[in-house]
Amino acid sequence: MLHPYRITDLGGEKNPLYKDPKAPIEERVNDLVARMTLEEKVLQLNQYTLGRNNNVNNMGEEVKKLPAEIGSVIYFDTDAELRNGLQRKAMEESRLGIPVLFGYDVIHGFRTVYPISLGQACSWNPGLVEQACAVAAQEARMSGVDWTFSPMIDVAHDGRWGRVAEGYGEDPYTNGVFCVASVKGYQGDTLADERRVAACLKHYVGYGASEAGRDYVYTEISKQTLWDTYMLPYEMGVKAGAVTLMSAFNDISGVPASANRYTMTEILKDRWKHDGFVVSDWGAVEQLVNQGVASSKKEASLKAFQAGMEMDMMSHGYDKYLADLLKEGKIPEERLNDAVRRVLRVKFRLGLFDNPYTKKSTEEERFLLPSSLEIAGKLAEESVVLLKNEDNVLPLSASAKIAVIGPIGKNKWNLLGSWSGHGRDGDVVSVYEGLEAEFKDKSRLLYAKGCDFEGEDESGFAEAVAVAKQSDVILLCLGEKKTWSGENASRSTLALPQIQEKLAMELQKTGKPIILLLSNGRPLELNRLEPVSKAIVEIWQPGVAGGKPIAGILSGRINPSGKLAITFPYSTGQIPIYYNQRKSGRSHQGFYQDITSKPLYPFGHGLSYTEFEYGAITPSATVVKRGEKLTVEVPVTNVGERDGAETVLWFISDPYSSITRPVKELKFFDKQLIKAGDTKVFRFDVDLERDFGFVDENGKRFLEAGEYYIMVKDRKVKIELVD
Ligand code: GLC
């Protein structure tokens, strides 16, 4: 039971230090913690939800239900009225007036939804992603959300796992770069800026290794793999200043992430000196009982807290048991105070003590601003990957009659993708609408749905075939529903449902060229669709821009520049298959007997409407010593007729080392526009320790003398590192 104090019961102290905006944050934190009761401290370490307020007249009910001293709530509304109602209760009806922290899943846009993260990664444009995250932050903060549970940076090799859609693909460095871009976009330079939100790196750590692509399951991760595959994005994100992390659901080789002292304390706090806090995933504290490391919610709360998790999301474990655990001497008071300090520190940095309320604004002032739509459109455009373009069938000729066929053709809702926040289907431009706007002569467009996303109903095939026969080219728009990826959305195969493939086979009989357009949240199994498609364009789930970018690409107004940030296997049976696998002892054997062992489209694959010719890689030296500088350059010439943006992916390989290493590892990338006929020199400033070095199973970085290769495309240069 909380003390029945009123704010005035501070012994008549009018301006306590913690309320002084001029005082240093650490002093304010310490002053406040010193004043708090045990109950007040415990409540700061809990997050509830504020429910969905569908009726402003009953918002009082929602607010009434919650204690004024609650640390945080998940906020599902799009305006700040309900939030300000609860905030007023916290500021004016509690003893100390500690503001509530409002969090929400702003994953790829709040209302202006841009491409899913897996698509963003294929743009290789972190600057643009930073801008998109800044838009999301502004829309969120102006709507009453101070904290987003994003970026999700779980390296994933298994497309059956639905959450592969939410991260930046299979490569650790790529996830790290886009993590940093997102943190900068969300947090900016000053968290107290009313257009910024606190970021949250998730799901810490190793969630992407979920066995068999199932969700919430065991992950077999050796300490070596933990460090060389999963920890790098988090280290980069913490160094970029991310103020919070979210602990994951998965069991990391016997120690669940949400009770893992090694990751949450020894590494995050002691080694990386993180001074923000860790929130659990939804109910993850209580789930420790199901995972078998705790016999009760009380024991689960103890284990999670001792491991270094500060805030309990929705388990109702900390609020119920932490006070008793402290009184029983099972958790030291100093640790409790440290946890509270970490939460308060983030609230002070966000400026919530000094500006607890969100200013009123209209939806027009907040959402879908022209500048926001422009950024979302640009990112959707740069995320598109041209996978195949046989006989340069694309771009389409100016007069071609186009038959738009397939379940994605006029669909809007599914183009938003999973975790689409407050995105609305009405905001989305469908593929068909994009084409109508692009190809002014409407008579050129024909349409038939052909079939649904799934099921056995082939009754639409005849109409689709008839429409196809009247056209010059078929734009076959296939793909996934938004609910087929994201959380709790694993699929046993990467293949699209049979009905969609059958439609393709029927259309192929018409003899008309098929341009296959794909909108999906994971890599797909295309080995049966590829042979019947003259071109294949991956648009991912592009958000509100929807069909606009692809229309520009089909017309040739836009030159596609995306490249895959995740491998497209030839078959689901190849999983796990990713570019940075370790070397085999017999690389000339060990292949599948029934199918190829190569992916259909490898990491980094993506075509352009122009051609880029790479020159020789020129290192500043071929023999280097530790601590010396090494730069490498490669000239790239646009030998085609049209301007285009090219991304150069710089890999290293270390043929011999004391721990086996992947066949190659991405260490840097750079994207530049190159005008037709021009040459641009791409440069990689190698940090020997960072780029040639490797981490051992304790995360200790080491650098060994020996030979290394720096690789770009099919070129490589040998570098000798001498002691
Ligand atoms: C979910 C997700 C997590 C999300 C959280 C709050 O279970 O795993 O990514 O941020 O709960 O919605």
Side-chain angles (χ1 to χ4, degrees), residues 477-502:
C477 307
L478 303 180
E480 294 187 312
K481 290 184 175 177
K482 75 196 292 276
T483 53
W484 293 1
S485 54
E487 184 178 358
N488 195 14
S490 302
R491 293 176 72 80
S492 68
T493 174
L494 303 187
L496 290 173
Q498 272 296 313
I499 191 73
Q500 295 192 42
E501 292 199 4
K502 279 186 175 177

mmCIF file of all heavy atoms in Angstrom, residues 477-502:
data_model
loop_
_atom_site.group_PDB
_atom_site.id
_atom_site.type_symbol
_atom_site.label_atom_id
_atom_site.label_comp_id
_atom_site.label_asym_id
_atom_site.label_seq_id
_atom_site.Cartn_x
_atom_site.Cartn_y
_atom_site.Cartn_z
ATOM 1 N N CYS A 477 1.607 -9.897 -59.535
ATOM 2 C CA CYS A 477 1.882 -9.327 -58.208
ATOM 3 C C CYS A 477 1.526 -10.357 -57.129
ATOM 4 O O CYS A 477 0.365 -10.507 -56.744
ATOM 5 C CB CYS A 477 1.057 -8.066 -58.012
ATOM 6 S SG CYS A 477 1.263 -6.871 -59.328
ATOM 7 N N LEU A 478 2.569 -11.045 -56.671
ATOM 8 C CA LEU A 478 2.365 -12.111 -55.674
ATOM 9 C C LEU A 478 3.020 -11.723 -54.355
ATOM 10 O O LEU A 478 3.785 -10.751 -54.294
ATOM 11 C CB LEU A 478 2.969 -13.424 -56.189
ATOM 12 C CG LEU A 478 2.465 -13.933 -57.535
ATOM 13 C CD1 LEU A 478 3.170 -15.240 -57.896
ATOM 14 C CD2 LEU A 478 0.945 -14.087 -57.525
ATOM 15 N N GLY A 479 2.737 -12.508 -53.308
ATOM 16 C CA GLY A 479 3.427 -12.214 -52.058
ATOM 17 C C GLY A 479 2.702 -12.705 -50.833
ATOM 18 O O GLY A 479 1.904 -13.646 -50.896
ATOM 19 N N GLU A 480 3.006 -12.024 -49.720
ATOM 20 C CA GLU A 480 2.538 -12.486 -48.410
ATOM 21 C C GLU A 480 1.581 -11.494 -47.759
ATOM 22 O O GLU A 480 1.662 -10.287 -47.997
ATOM 23 C CB GLU A 480 3.738 -12.658 -47.474
ATOM 24 C CG GLU A 480 4.718 -13.763 -47.870
ATOM 25 C CD GLU A 480 5.768 -13.975 -46.803
ATOM 26 O OE1 GLU A 480 6.357 -12.999 -46.338
ATOM 27 O OE2 GLU A 480 5.992 -15.138 -46.429
ATOM 28 N N LYS A 481 0.751 -11.996 -46.884
ATOM 29 C CA LYS A 481 -0.050 -11.125 -46.031
ATOM 30 C C LYS A 481 0.865 -10.549 -44.953
ATOM 31 O O LYS A 481 1.883 -11.172 -44.608
ATOM 32 C CB LYS A 481 -1.158 -11.930 -45.359
ATOM 33 C CG LYS A 481 -2.253 -12.385 -46.309
ATOM 34 C CD LYS A 481 -3.366 -13.089 -45.548
ATOM 35 C CE LYS A 481 -4.514 -13.444 -46.472
ATOM 36 N NZ LYS A 481 -5.578 -14.191 -45.754
ATOM 37 N N LYS A 482 0.482 -9.424 -44.418
ATOM 38 C CA LYS A 482 1.361 -8.797 -43.410
ATOM 39 C C LYS A 482 1.421 -9.662 -42.150
ATOM 40 O O LYS A 482 2.372 -9.638 -41.391
ATOM 41 C CB LYS A 482 0.922 -7.379 -43.107
ATOM 42 C CG LYS A 482 -0.306 -7.215 -42.243
ATOM 43 C CD LYS A 482 -0.910 -5.827 -42.282
ATOM 44 C CE LYS A 482 -0.099 -4.768 -41.658
ATOM 45 N NZ LYS A 482 -0.219 -4.592 -40.220
ATOM 46 N N THR A 483 0.405 -10.482 -41.948
ATOM 47 C CA THR A 483 0.383 -11.312 -40.728
ATOM 48 C C THR A 483 1.219 -12.578 -40.883
ATOM 49 O O THR A 483 1.341 -13.354 -39.944
ATOM 50 C CB THR A 483 -1.074 -11.741 -40.434
ATOM 51 O OG1 THR A 483 -1.601 -12.351 -41.630
ATOM 52 C CG2 THR A 483 -1.924 -10.548 -40.034
ATOM 53 N N TRP A 484 1.787 -12.802 -42.068
ATOM 54 C CA TRP A 484 2.594 -14.010 -42.249
ATOM 55 C C TRP A 484 4.019 -13.820 -41.788
ATOM 56 O O TRP A 484 4.827 -14.761 -41.806
ATOM 57 C CB TRP A 484 2.587 -14.440 -43.715
ATOM 58 C CG TRP A 484 1.269 -14.916 -44.215
ATOM 59 C CD1 TRP A 484 0.100 -14.986 -43.519
ATOM 60 C CD2 TRP A 484 0.973 -15.388 -45.537
ATOM 61 N NE1 TRP A 484 -0.906 -15.474 -44.320
ATOM 62 C CE2 TRP A 484 -0.409 -15.726 -45.552
ATOM 63 C CE3 TRP A 484 1.709 -15.551 -46.696
ATOM 64 C CZ2 TRP A 484 -1.027 -16.222 -46.688
ATOM 65 C CZ3 TRP A 484 1.102 -16.047 -47.841
ATOM 66 C CH2 TRP A 484 -0.261 -16.378 -47.834
ATOM 67 N N SER A 485 4.372 -12.604 -41.414
ATOM 68 C CA SER A 485 5.705 -12.403 -40.822
ATOM 69 C C SER A 485 5.520 -11.485 -39.620
ATOM 70 O O SER A 485 4.411 -11.056 -39.327
ATOM 71 C CB SER A 485 6.677 -11.785 -41.844
ATOM 72 O OG SER A 485 6.125 -10.604 -42.388
ATOM 73 N N GLY A 486 6.610 -11.252 -38.904
ATOM 74 C CA GLY A 486 6.502 -10.516 -37.647
ATOM 75 C C GLY A 486 6.460 -11.518 -36.503
ATOM 76 O O GLY A 486 6.890 -12.674 -36.647
ATOM 77 N N GLU A 487 5.931 -11.100 -35.360
ATOM 78 C CA GLU A 487 5.967 -11.955 -34.182
ATOM 79 C C GLU A 487 4.999 -13.122 -34.289
ATOM 80 O O GLU A 487 3.909 -12.977 -34.829
ATOM 81 C CB GLU A 487 5.643 -11.151 -32.926
ATOM 82 C CG GLU A 487 5.774 -12.014 -31.667
ATOM 83 C CD GLU A 487 5.517 -11.263 -30.394
ATOM 84 O OE1 GLU A 487 5.271 -10.053 -30.441
ATOM 85 O OE2 GLU A 487 5.579 -11.911 -29.330
ATOM 86 N N ASN A 488 5.426 -14.270 -33.781
ATOM 87 C CA ASN A 488 4.583 -15.470 -33.727
ATOM 88 C C ASN A 488 4.035 -15.807 -35.115
ATOM 89 O O ASN A 488 2.855 -16.107 -35.272
ATOM 90 C CB ASN A 488 3.429 -15.231 -32.734
ATOM 91 C CG ASN A 488 2.758 -16.538 -32.357
ATOM 92 O OD1 ASN A 488 3.302 -17.619 -32.618
ATOM 93 N ND2 ASN A 488 1.573 -16.439 -31.819
ATOM 94 N N ALA A 489 4.907 -15.688 -36.122
ATOM 95 C CA ALA A 489 4.466 -15.869 -37.529
ATOM 96 C C ALA A 489 5.501 -16.680 -38.276
ATOM 97 O O ALA A 489 6.059 -16.266 -39.285
ATOM 98 C CB ALA A 489 4.282 -14.506 -38.190
ATOM 99 N N SER A 490 5.795 -17.873 -37.755
ATOM 100 C CA SER A 490 6.760 -18.745 -38.444
ATOM 101 C C SER A 490 6.032 -19.538 -39.518
ATOM 102 O O SER A 490 4.846 -19.824 -39.386
ATOM 103 C CB SER A 490 7.386 -19.714 -37.438
ATOM 104 O OG SER A 490 8.019 -18.980 -36.414
ATOM 105 N N ARG A 491 6.752 -19.855 -40.610
ATOM 106 C CA ARG A 491 6.173 -20.674 -41.670
ATOM 107 C C ARG A 491 7.141 -21.794 -41.979
ATOM 108 O O ARG A 491 8.352 -21.612 -41.912
ATOM 109 C CB ARG A 491 5.897 -19.818 -42.917
ATOM 110 C CG ARG A 491 4.795 -18.794 -42.655
ATOM 111 C CD ARG A 491 4.569 -17.884 -43.825
ATOM 112 N NE ARG A 491 3.911 -18.560 -44.938
ATOM 113 C CZ ARG A 491 2.605 -18.796 -45.024
ATOM 114 N NH1 ARG A 491 1.821 -18.461 -44.028
ATOM 115 N NH2 ARG A 491 2.086 -19.378 -46.081
ATOM 116 N N SER A 492 6.600 -22.957 -42.326
ATOM 117 C CA SER A 492 7.471 -24.126 -42.493
ATOM 118 C C SER A 492 8.234 -24.070 -43.807
ATOM 119 O O SER A 492 9.219 -24.761 -43.997
ATOM 120 C CB SER A 492 6.617 -25.397 -42.480
ATOM 121 O OG SER A 492 5.810 -25.411 -43.656
ATOM 122 N N THR A 493 7.758 -23.231 -44.725
ATOM 123 C CA THR A 493 8.432 -23.139 -46.018
ATOM 124 C C THR A 493 8.497 -21.684 -46.459
ATOM 125 O O THR A 493 7.648 -20.883 -46.092
ATOM 126 C CB THR A 493 7.691 -23.952 -47.106
ATOM 127 O OG1 THR A 493 8.326 -23.698 -48.373
ATOM 128 C CG2 THR A 493 6.225 -23.563 -47.203
ATOM 129 N N LEU A 494 9.516 -21.377 -47.268
ATOM 130 C CA LEU A 494 9.642 -20.025 -47.818
ATOM 131 C C LEU A 494 8.863 -19.912 -49.125
ATOM 132 O O LEU A 494 8.805 -18.848 -49.737
ATOM 133 C CB LEU A 494 11.120 -19.700 -48.076
ATOM 134 C CG LEU A 494 12.094 -19.804 -46.889
ATOM 135 C CD1 LEU A 494 13.465 -19.297 -47.285
ATOM 136 C CD2 LEU A 494 11.585 -19.058 -45.676
ATOM 137 N N ALA A 495 8.280 -21.024 -49.576
ATOM 138 C CA ALA A 495 7.533 -20.983 -50.841
ATOM 139 C C ALA A 495 6.215 -20.251 -50.613
ATOM 140 O O ALA A 495 5.630 -20.338 -49.531
ATOM 141 C CB ALA A 495 7.262 -22.398 -51.331
ATOM 142 N N LEU A 496 5.752 -19.557 -51.630
ATOM 143 C CA LEU A 496 4.420 -18.958 -51.574
ATOM 144 C C LEU A 496 3.388 -20.075 -51.679
ATOM 145 O O LEU A 496 3.688 -21.156 -52.198
ATOM 146 C CB LEU A 496 4.244 -17.960 -52.718
ATOM 147 C CG LEU A 496 5.072 -16.671 -52.587
ATOM 148 C CD1 LEU A 496 4.960 -15.839 -53.859
ATOM 149 C CD2 LEU A 496 4.642 -15.865 -51.369
ATOM 150 N N PRO A 497 2.186 -19.859 -51.202
ATOM 151 C CA PRO A 497 1.146 -20.894 -51.296
ATOM 152 C C PRO A 497 0.956 -21.380 -52.728
ATOM 153 O O PRO A 497 1.095 -20.622 -53.693
ATOM 154 C CB PRO A 497 -0.098 -20.185 -50.759
ATOM 155 C CG PRO A 497 0.432 -19.150 -49.830
ATOM 156 C CD PRO A 497 1.716 -18.682 -50.462
ATOM 157 N N GLN A 498 0.671 -22.658 -52.855
ATOM 158 C CA GLN A 498 0.497 -23.330 -54.138
ATOM 159 C C GLN A 498 -0.380 -22.537 -55.114
ATOM 160 O O GLN A 498 -0.065 -22.420 -56.285
ATOM 161 C CB GLN A 498 -0.196 -24.693 -53.883
ATOM 162 C CG GLN A 498 0.761 -25.817 -53.580
ATOM 163 C CD GLN A 498 1.642 -26.104 -54.762
ATOM 164 O OE1 GLN A 498 1.172 -26.207 -55.897
ATOM 165 N NE2 GLN A 498 2.938 -26.161 -54.532
ATOM 166 N N ILE A 499 -1.469 -21.972 -54.591
ATOM 167 C CA ILE A 499 -2.442 -21.316 -55.496
ATOM 168 C C ILE A 499 -1.767 -20.185 -56.277
ATOM 169 O O ILE A 499 -2.053 -19.970 -57.461
ATOM 170 C CB ILE A 499 -3.668 -20.796 -54.696
ATOM 171 C CG1 ILE A 499 -4.807 -20.365 -55.636
ATOM 172 C CG2 ILE A 499 -3.272 -19.664 -53.749
ATOM 173 C CD1 ILE A 499 -5.526 -21.490 -56.295
ATOM 174 N N GLN A 500 -0.832 -19.505 -55.639
ATOM 175 C CA GLN A 500 -0.153 -18.397 -56.311
ATOM 176 C C GLN A 500 0.792 -18.935 -57.397
ATOM 177 O O GLN A 500 0.876 -18.388 -58.499
ATOM 178 C CB GLN A 500 0.615 -17.531 -55.313
ATOM 179 C CG GLN A 500 -0.268 -16.812 -54.305
ATOM 180 C CD GLN A 500 0.496 -15.744 -53.512
ATOM 181 O OE1 GLN A 500 1.303 -14.991 -54.081
ATOM 182 N NE2 GLN A 500 0.235 -15.685 -52.222
ATOM 183 N N GLU A 501 1.458 -20.045 -57.088
ATOM 184 C CA GLU A 501 2.355 -20.627 -58.098
ATOM 185 C C GLU A 501 1.553 -21.197 -59.258
ATOM 186 O O GLU A 501 1.937 -21.066 -60.426
ATOM 187 C CB GLU A 501 3.230 -21.718 -57.463
ATOM 188 C CG GLU A 501 4.240 -21.188 -56.458
ATOM 189 C CD GLU A 501 5.382 -22.172 -56.182
ATOM 190 O OE1 GLU A 501 5.440 -23.231 -56.823
ATOM 191 O OE2 GLU A 501 6.213 -21.859 -55.317
ATOM 192 N N LYS A 502 0.384 -21.789 -58.947
ATOM 193 C CA LYS A 502 -0.461 -22.352 -60.010
ATOM 194 C C LYS A 502 -0.925 -21.245 -60.956
ATOM 195 O O LYS A 502 -0.938 -21.416 -62.179
ATOM 196 C CB LYS A 502 -1.680 -23.055 -59.405
ATOM 197 C CG LYS A 502 -1.411 -24.448 -58.891
ATOM 198 C CD LYS A 502 -2.712 -25.092 -58.443
ATOM 199 C CE LYS A 502 -2.505 -26.557 -58.025
ATOM 200 N NZ LYS A 502 -3.795 -27.129 -57.519
#
